[in-house]
Amino acid sequence: MNSLLYIGNKLSDHGYTSTSIETLGSFLEAEGFTVYYASSKKNKFFRMLEMVSMTFKYAKKVDYVLIDTYSTKNFWYAFIISQLCRILNVKYIPKLHGGDLPNRIVRTKFFSNLIFNNAFINIAPSYYLYEAFKNNGYANLKYIPNTVDLQLYTQSIKTFDFPRILWVRSFAKIYNPIMAVKIFINLKKTYPEATLCMIGPKKDDSFEKTKRFAQKNNVEVKFTGKLSKEDWIAKSKDYNVFINTTHFDNTPISVIEAMALGLPVVSTNVGGIPYLLKHEANSLLVNDNDSAGMTQQVLRLFVEENLALNITKNAKETVQGFDWEIVKKEWIDLLI
């Protein structure tokens, strides 16, 4: 099998959520690929230094450099590593992430062209990003969806007596965690026994703001911090609705996982979400930051007969296409 250098944020040991570098990387290793990684350094400057040094070290030893490419500050490490790959004459593959990446390629067109026009190929994990890049003139594109191991996600029987809400994401402004508490406050007016559990690591001051907001409004929210995949899957059995409150998104793994677990998903309809979720088919959707609207959609699950059952059945069918046993053929065909 071929060998790869995978460039990305490998930060789960520091309390952050596992990203593609860890999930896809481990999948590829299991298929026989040799995978080197950079970087697990928490400090961004030292992380960047390790990415550069590892690229120099392995450029002549690997067949491809795979680069997780984001829309925020981490866009610049993708730029630096991609140009270093060009100098060292090694094929590189940007793996596109982030719901705001379509805006990034417009704002920084010159630098984006240097990255994406010179790539061996660009991997879009959603049709949202695929179409955005295609419409901006990038032709060397391939769609390979984000992937999960569906064997890990066993459905439990859900009862819809009162809302037991689950939210799983990093506490960051872009994911709008405070909206979850606003919805919870609204739900308790109808269902005083309703509960809310929020799972995820701190990424900015959103955690403190969300916790203070809950305390100010005298509602008890369960904050678990970051949990392992196994632990949050086990905890999901105690809940009956999954809410996704994000301002921007691509194809979030946490939503795919919730669908695989049989949780009805109620989400904001932003970014790449409408490419994954369809209102009243496999989910319920509302506008960005519409707390009242999401409250009403959640309430529907408890009064409309068979709505939750139909949504979760269709969602389970949707996620079949994200199973690694299906997706791995695309990666293997590309990399060997």
Side-chain angles (χ1 to χ4, degrees):
M1 277 289 186
N2 288 347
S3 57
L4 313 167
L5 172 61
Y6 201 145
I7 300 292
N9 297 320
K10 198 171 187 284
L11 302 175
S12 64
D13 288 345
H14 299 291
Y16 293 92
T17 302
S18 295
T19 57
S20 179
I21 190 173
E22 295 177 87
T23 53
L24 176 60
S26 63
F27 281 143
L28 291 173
E29 285 187 276
E31 297 302 322
F33 290 92
T34 300
V35 185
Y36 307 98
Y37 299 94
S39 165
S40 58
K41 301 290 186 184
K42 187 175 182 180
N43 179 278
K44 286 191 176 184
F45 176 73
F46 292 117
R47 200 185 318 157
M48 184 73 253
L49 282 183
E50 185 169 72
M51 289 174 177
V52 170
S53 66
M54 290 285 282
T55 304
F56 274 113
K57 181 178 180 179
Y58 287 104
K60 302 302 180 184
K61 301 178 182 178
V62 299
D63 299 283
Y64 302 98
V65 177
L66 190 59
I67 308 172
D68 279 342
T69 305
Y70 296 89
S71 60
T72 52
K73 291 178 182 178
N74 291 325
F75 172 86
W76 296 109
Y77 78 58
F79 172 73
I80 292 169
I81 297 303
S82 66
Q83 302 314 293
L84 184 57
C85 287
R86 293 179 64 196
I87 293 169
L88 297 173
N89 197 31
V90 58
K91 296 173 183 175
Y92 68 91
I93 302 171
K95 187 172 184 291
L96 311 177
H97 297 275
D100 202 37
L101 197 52
N103 292 324
R104 162 64 76 179
I105 61 177
V106 172
R107 291 197 312 270
T108 53
K109 187 70 173 175
F110 174 78
F111 297 104
S112 297
N113 284 347
L114 288 175
I115 299 173
F116 304 119
N117 281 335
N118 293 292
F120 173 71
I121 198 163
N122 298 289
I123 300 300
S126 69
Y127 285 115
Y128 165 65
L129 288 180
Y130 183 91
E131 290 186 7
F133 270 66
K134 186 177 180 181
N135 292 338
N136 277 276
Y138 299 112
N140 54 339
L141 279 168
K142 184 175 178 63
Y143 166 71
I144 302 180
N146 286 325
T147 185
V148 295
D149 183 356
L150 287 184
Q151 296 180 75
L152 299 176
Y153 303 91
T154 55
Q155 292 190 359
S156 57
I157 297 173
K158 304 299 180 187
T159 56
F160 291 86
D161 44 359
F162 63 89
R164 294 185 288 275
I165 308 299
L166 185 62
W167 183 96
V168 182
R169 212 60 190 263
S170 297
F171 280 84
K173 292 182 180 68
I174 192 172
Y175 302 133
N176 198 12
I178 205 165
M179 180 178 170
V181 181
K182 293 178 180 177
I183 293 160
F184 182 44
I185 293 167
N186 292 339
L187 289 172
K188 286 183 79 68
K189 295 173 184 176
T190 305
Y191 294 96
E193 65 273 52
T195 61
L196 170 63
C197 178
M198 301 186 73
I199 299 173
K202 305 174 188 178
K203 202 164 184 180
D204 56 29
D205 63 357
S206 296
F207 176 79
E208 286 74 18
K209 287 182 176 179
T210 303
K211 196 169 185 178
R212 285 198 302 269
F213 184 77
Q215 291 169 344
K216 179 182 176 182
N217 287 275
N218 298 312
V219 290
E220 185 177 343
V221 177
K222 185 175 182 63
F223 296 97
T224 69
K226 181 197 171 189
L227 296 181
S228 69
K229 189 178 297 294
E230 293 75 18
D231 285 345
W232 95 253
I233 288 174
K235 188 165 284 294
S236 73
K237 295 176 183 178
D238 299 329
Y239 297 88
N240 54 15
V241 179
F242 185 95
I243 60 173
N244 182 50
T245 57
T246 183
H247 288 307
F248 294 100
D249 231 322
N250 179 23
T251 309
I253 287 290
S254 60
V255 171
I256 295 171
E257 290 173 322
M259 296 164 76
L261 288 166
L263 283 161
V265 172
V266 186
S267 176
T268 49
N269 192 20
V270 297
I273 290 295
Y275 291 79
L276 171 67
L277 301 179
K278 304 299 180 186
H279 182 57
E280 297 184 338
N282 60 8
S283 65
L284 297 172
L285 300 177
V286 302
N287 292 329
D288 182 26
N289 208 31
D290 185 0
S291 300
M294 187 169 285
T295 301
Q296 291 305 310
Q297 294 301 321
V298 171
L299 288 172
R300 290 180 62 194
L301 296 168
F302 297 85
V303 296
E304 294 186 27
E305 188 176 3
N306 292 328
L307 178 61
L309 179 65
N310 292 334
I311 283 175
T312 53
K313 177 178 178 291
N314 292 334
K316 189 71 173 180
E317 293 174 1
T318 299
V319 298
Q320 295 302 314
F322 296 93
D323 188 16
W324 175 245
E325 290 304 310
I326 294 174
V327 176
K328 70 180 183 181
K329 183 179 184 300
E330 299 290 333
W331 280 108
I332 292 170
D333 288 349
L334 174 67
L335 296 173
I336 62 173

